[in-house]
Amino acid sequence: MRLFVAVTLGKTIESEATAALQRLKGLAPRVRWVPPANLHLTLSFLGEVEAERLPAVKDALMGVGPKHAPLVLTIEGGGSFGSPSHPRVLWAGVGGDTKALGALQADVAGALKPLGFEPEHREYAAHLTLARAKVPRGDRELAECVRALQDAKWGEARVDRLVLFESLGGQYHSRAEVPLAPTMQ
């Protein structure tokens, strides 16, 4: 099973992304676009995991959710990874309560480490991947998409759960959902 832990952004962001991606696709028709229903913020990529390890992964995540309150993120702006003239990846920016998102990501990584999942060695930088170039050297058309995203504002998303996804044939299937603890009133 190819697994990752993520948070989803809800129907409002999915709807805004659908409209924006339709416009952007005209600027870069030869890249691989992420289907709006697959948009998410990855907190930890686990890779190939044996099915018998799934209960331990779920248990680890169950210990993280209650420690965090739901949070609100904004999706706005954008950028790319790779050469500015031939980007490899196009992404939308994440704002709002990114400090709480970073703490959530760190706790997820910490909970999974005893199970043998080593955290990435770079600082977590939340971004919403929109498209990838089909060729390793990048695609100059994505540079135009970066310019088109500069003033984009897709709205707010309330994050209230962790999701353990399995990636299977380009589709993401939820294998577990862990609610974040509600804020105390």
Side-chain angles (χ1 to χ4, degrees):
M1 306 173 82
R2 188 173 172 86
L3 301 177
F4 63 94
V5 181
V7 295
T8 56
L9 301 170
K11 295 294 181 193
T12 299
I13 297 298
E14 189 178 310
S15 175
E16 288 292 325
T18 298
L21 290 177
Q22 284 301 105
R23 292 188 298 272
L24 291 170
K25 283 179 184 178
L27 299 174
R30 295 186 309 251
V31 302
R32 279 191 310 265
W33 292 92
V34 174
N38 283 359
L39 291 174
H40 63 274
L41 299 176
T42 300
L43 301 180
S44 183
F45 179 73
L46 307 181
E48 289 297 326
V49 178
E50 300 84 12
E52 57 270 10
R53 295 182 68 197
L54 189 59
V57 172
K58 289 180 182 180
D59 286 347
L61 296 176
M62 293 299 277
V64 174
K67 296 177 185 174
H68 294 269
L71 55 123
V72 176
L73 300 173
T74 58
I75 306 300
E76 55 192 48
S80 64
F81 297 129
S83 162
S85 62
H86 284 81
R88 288 180 284 100
V89 175
L90 177 70
W91 50 264
V94 178
D97 203 352
T98 56
K99 186 173 181 178
L101 181 65
L104 179 61
Q105 185 277 331
D107 281 357
V108 166
L112 294 171
K113 187 172 182 174
L115 301 178
F117 300 105
E118 285 298 318
E120 289 191 32
H121 296 290
R122 55 190 158 103
E123 187 174 329
Y124 180 69
H127 63 279
L128 189 61
T129 301
L130 303 176
R132 291 180 178 84
K134 290 182 180 176
V135 293
R137 71 181 194 298
D139 190 315
R140 65 180 174 75
E141 292 175 339
L142 284 177
E144 186 60 35
C145 293
V146 172
R147 287 186 281 280
L149 280 174
Q150 292 308 303
D151 296 323
K153 293 192 184 321
W154 294 0
E156 289 186 345
R158 184 175 189 272
V159 173
D160 63 0
R161 69 191 63 245
L162 294 170
V163 184
L164 176 63
F165 281 110
E166 178 183 7
S167 177
L168 189 60
Q171 300 275 323
Y172 300 153
H173 304 277
S174 174
R175 295 297 172 227
E177 293 190 13
V178 179
L180 301 181
T183 56
M184 302 305 276
Q185 297 284 331

